[in-house]
Amino acid sequence: MSAQVLDGKAIAADIRERIRSQVDDLRAKGRRVPGLVVVLVGQNPASQVYVRNKRKACEQVGFHSELMVLPAETSQQDLLALIDELNARADVDGILVQLPLPGQIDEDAVTERILATKDVDGFHPYNIGRLVLRRPVLRPCTPKGVMTMLARTGIDLVGKDAVIIGQSNIVGRPMFLELLMARCTVTVCHSKTKDLPSKVRCADIIVAAVGVPRFVQADWVKPGAIVIDVGINRLDDGTLCGDADTAAVAEVAGWITPVPGGVGPMTVATLLENTLLAAELHAAGSG
Ligand code: GUN
């Protein structure tokens, strides 16, 4: 393997340690610790794992955290009423409703109901708009976590060619805005893109967020490129793999993120950063 590994697990541990010490300082000053409420509707197994990791991370840094599990049949009206209650609670700095939601619930309506200042996912149109305008407040966790990882390479991103594979609201689109804000030239590819391999071959930075196991092939990768693998795919044998053919791509790339232990832990660590920021905004009276 020639690529250097971008160890998300280790970077995330550093972030958690820094946040834990900030929470200790708050407590020492007699101030309230940040509070996050995570809402899970139904029993999607992947969501259950993600939510458990988020709660565990909150506890580790000393945040107040609550998990609210609602039945899969919950109506949109009931979920919106719960969000209204959480919006009104002074001890709640962040609200996270785990996606996807069951079919009877309109995800956009839920996202827009959460107060923008408590939107620690950074999905509210206000927060996305701030990112478009290069004046971000609460930024979507996975793309922001990827930017933290890219910073750790020490490579100057200005003028680099970046290709994102995937155009989701959660990853692809905000990732485009983050990389553009970092002054990269950014191409977003999707299922209708013509000759995807030729576009990926031009990239200094590749962000794979398609949800297809081992989709990105070694011969699509420019030697020395940074490969960020957002995919977490469970194979039939129960093992996890990413959206890139990691072992083969690592022979060509300059940097690569492992799966698991790459982007996943960074998403969770960034959620903690966002919750701390939301708490600071509330304490300053701007929330
Ligand atoms: N589902 C998959 N990723 C995410 C995320 O970052 N936030 C929420 N709320 N749901 C998700």
Side-chain angles (χ1 to χ4, degrees):
M1 181 171 94
S2 64
Q4 298 189 65
V5 174
L6 262 171
D7 186 347
K9 205 170 155 185
I11 303 169
D14 288 351
I15 293 171
R16 284 200 305 272
E17 188 46 41
R18 177 171 46 79
I19 293 177
R20 201 182 60 78
S21 124
Q22 285 174 273
V23 174
D24 283 349
D25 287 349
L26 285 175
R27 213 183 266 110
K29 288 180 191 147
R31 302 248 306 272
R32 188 174 63 75
V33 300
L36 175 69
V37 175
V38 175
V39 180
L40 175 62
V41 184
Q43 296 178 334
N44 178 313
S47 293
Q48 286 175 326
V49 173
Y50 295 142
V51 161
R52 198 182 316 133
N53 290 341
K54 289 170 184 177
R55 275 214 76 190
K56 209 165 79 184
C58 280
E59 275 158 24
Q60 209 187 346
V61 298
F63 286 180
H64 172 73
S65 85
E66 288 174 40
L67 172 61
M68 298 188 170
V69 181
L70 306 181
E73 319 74 64
T74 301
S75 69
Q76 176 166 322
Q77 196 186 10
D78 285 353
L79 180 56
L80 294 178
L82 172 63
I83 292 170
D84 290 343
E85 278 173 32
L86 298 173
N87 281 340
R89 268 176 59 182
D91 62 329
V92 174
D93 300 294
I95 303 167
L96 183 147
V97 179
Q98 187 66 25
L99 304 177
L101 290 168
Q104 75 275 14
I105 300 175
D106 174 0
E107 291 185 354
D108 293 335
V110 170
T111 300
E112 292 183 27
R113 192 70 156 241
I114 296 170
L115 274 179
T117 52
K118 297 193 178 191
D119 167 39
V120 286
D121 263 324
F123 295 162
H124 190 284
Y126 173 83
N127 285 314
I128 295 294
R130 294 289 300 223
L131 186 59
V132 170
L133 298 170
R134 291 178 277 182
R135 296 165 58 213
V137 186
L138 291 166
R139 295 153 60 182
C141 297
T142 300
K144 183 183 170 196
V146 169
M147 297 313 289
T148 305
M149 294 178 107
L150 289 174
R152 286 288 185 112
T153 65
I155 294 170
D156 183 9
L157 301 182
V158 176
K160 291 283 188 290
D161 290 316
V163 166
I164 300 164
I165 313 173
Q167 57 156 342
S168 70
N169 289 352
I170 293 180
V171 181
R173 286 164 188 257
M175 193 73 249
F176 163 74
L177 296 169
E178 288 283 356
L179 288 164
L180 190 61
M181 192 164 63
R183 301 165 73 195
C184 295
T185 303
V186 194
T187 304
V188 182
C189 300
H190 47 77
S191 59
K192 303 290 183 220
T193 296
K194 286 181 287 179
D195 195 4
L196 177 69
S198 76
K199 294 190 169 60
V200 178
R201 274 184 202 112
C202 296
D204 304 304
I205 300 164
I206 300 163
V207 180
V210 260
V212 178
R214 303 190 181 122
F215 183 69
V216 175
Q217 302 295 304
D219 67 348
W220 301 5
V221 175
K222 179 159 92 176
I226 305 173
V227 179
I228 305 287
D229 192 342
V230 180
I232 305 177
N233 307 293
R234 194 169 289 280
L235 300 175
D236 289 341
D237 67 2
T239 58
L240 294 178
C241 82
D243 287 353
D245 186 359
T246 309
V249 168
E251 297 297 329
V252 186
W255 292 86
I256 195 162
T257 62
V259 177
V263 174
M266 292 302 294
T267 297
V268 178
T270 308
L271 171 67
L272 301 176
E273 288 183 333
N274 280 357
T275 304
L276 184 61
L277 174 60
E280 286 165 357
L281 294 173
H282 294 153
S286 47

